[in-house]
Amino acid sequence: MNSRRDFIRTLTGVVASTGLIKVAKAAVPGRHFAGPFGIQLYSLREQLAKDVPGSLKHIREAGYTTVETAGLYDMTPEDFKKQLDKAGLKCTGMHSGEDSRFRDHFDDIIAEAKVLKPVHVSCPWVDEKNRQDAEGCKRVAAEFNEWGKKLQAVGFRFSYHNHDVDFKPIGSTTAQDIFLAETDPKLVDFEFDLYFVQKVGLNPADFIKKHAARAKQLHLKDIAKSVKPGFQEEPDDTCVPLGTGQIDWPKTLDAAAAAGVKDYYVEDESPTAWDGIVKTHAYLKSVTF
């Protein structure tokens, strides 16, 4: 999904189908998913670039009340906050650019956070040159601790959002393993993107259980059944509404609830995300585990 990576670097009524409802109700009877879940605004990046008020209105009408930002679409933080308020949406998370922006424009990130008032300020990408070996990953992890300490001092939490490349082998380890091992849980949280966890051949429910103490946020994003495990680039349309792809959501959401995950964000990177986010919202309101 190169478009996602390119987008990150620039920062430095539809209803659910009957089939989706049947999938949700087919789960073993039990608890309904309690959330809370919001939406990652990257889902409607193309629509937001053209019409911020209209896109935010659509998100609210789809049933969402909280958002995680991914840029401000040439608006000031104050103006973007006004648009969120007008739409009845609250910012609970921020994606604030790749590692270089945290390194070079940290004061700008703090200023944005003070206006938007999220719980988490997340770094969603580390430049590959900075994590090509174990020593580089350790240096990045040390920076995560530093950024986490600075953000904590002004009332926010730092988190890191993974991609598939974070799971590529580096000798006998991976960047993701190093980030988890070398960061202080008091300062650094993790936002696990479950599309990429599944894509590299891991089981999302088991992954959450293994890292329960660090899993504070999740990206709820399903992957098409046609995708084979690996690190190959996949087109955006391999992101599909929850309940229609590979991930076993009842087991995954059960594991997340047991781990005490605090915030969930739906993300749909597909060209049909305008409708997909509505279908996913309906699924999450119906699924049990």
Side-chain angles (χ1 to χ4, degrees), residues 56-69:
L56 296 180
K57 180 182 178 182
H58 176 72
I59 287 168
R60 184 65 188 88
E61 289 175 345
Y64 299 90
T65 59
T66 60
V67 305
E68 182 179 52
T69 63

Side-chain angles (χ1 to χ4, degrees), residues 211-279:
H211 302 294
R214 307 302 296 276
K216 304 302 180 184
Q217 305 158 279
L218 294 178
H219 267 193
L220 305 180
K221 182 166 60 172
D222 214 341
I223 182 168
K225 294 178 180 179
S226 60
V227 178
K228 304 298 183 184
F231 299 99
Q232 70 282 357
E233 291 289 341
E234 294 289 349
D236 287 345
D237 63 7
T238 60
C239 184
V240 296
L242 267 61
T244 66
Q246 297 182 25
I247 296 176
D248 185 332
W249 287 106
K251 287 185 178 179
T252 299
L253 295 172
D254 188 28
V261 172
K262 299 297 184 184
D263 290 292
Y264 303 79
Y265 296 102
V266 168
E267 185 174 37
D268 188 332
E269 298 191 21
S270 74
T272 56
W274 188 263
D275 295 342
I277 64 170
V278 181
K279 295 175 181 178

Side-chain angles (χ1 to χ4, degrees), residues 44-201:
L44 298 187
R45 57 202 176 278
E46 295 181 3
Q47 294 89 345
L48 283 160
K50 299 174 183 177
D51 180 8
V52 169
S55 299
L56 296 180
K57 180 182 178 182
H58 176 72
I59 287 168
R60 184 65 188 88
E61 289 175 345
Y64 299 90
T65 59
T66 60
V67 305
E68 182 179 52
T69 63
L72 301 177
Y73 299 92
D74 297 322
M75 300 177 72
T76 65
E78 291 80 7
D79 287 342
F80 198 78
K81 175 70 162 55
K82 289 178 182 177
Q83 291 298 328
L84 289 174
D85 290 344
K86 184 177 179 181
L89 297 169
K90 180 181 179 181
C91 173
T92 54
M94 280 174 47
H95 274 204
S96 297
E98 65 176 47
D99 56 325
S100 62
R101 187 167 189 253
F102 278 81
R103 214 170 279 120
D104 301 334
H105 300 281
F106 199 83
D107 289 344
D108 292 340
I109 292 172
I110 292 290
E112 291 169 6
K114 286 183 175 180
V115 173
L116 296 174
K117 301 186 185 306
V119 176
H120 281 92
V121 175
S122 301
C123 175
W125 182 255
V126 169
D127 194 291
E128 291 178 79
K129 71 176 184 292
N130 296 327
R131 51 171 162 75
Q132 60 186 348
D133 56 34
E135 290 307 310
C137 291
K138 289 179 180 179
R139 287 192 293 271
V140 171
E143 291 180 305
F144 285 176
N145 286 329
E146 178 185 346
W147 300 336
K149 186 175 182 179
K150 290 179 178 179
L151 282 164
Q152 190 176 88
V154 290
F156 306 105
R157 293 289 298 176
F158 173 81
S159 71
Y160 179 65
H161 166 283
N162 67 273
H163 284 77
D164 52 354
V165 293
D166 293 301
F167 296 96
K168 279 188 174 180
I170 300 175
S172 61
T173 187
T174 67
Q176 186 71 34
D177 286 340
I178 294 171
F179 295 156
L180 284 160
E182 297 287 329
T183 52
D184 185 345
K186 295 179 181 178
L187 301 174
V188 177
D189 295 332
F190 285 85
E191 180 176 60
F192 297 135
D193 187 307
L194 301 180
Y195 172 103
F196 292 115
V197 172
Q198 179 78 29
K199 180 176 179 289
V200 300

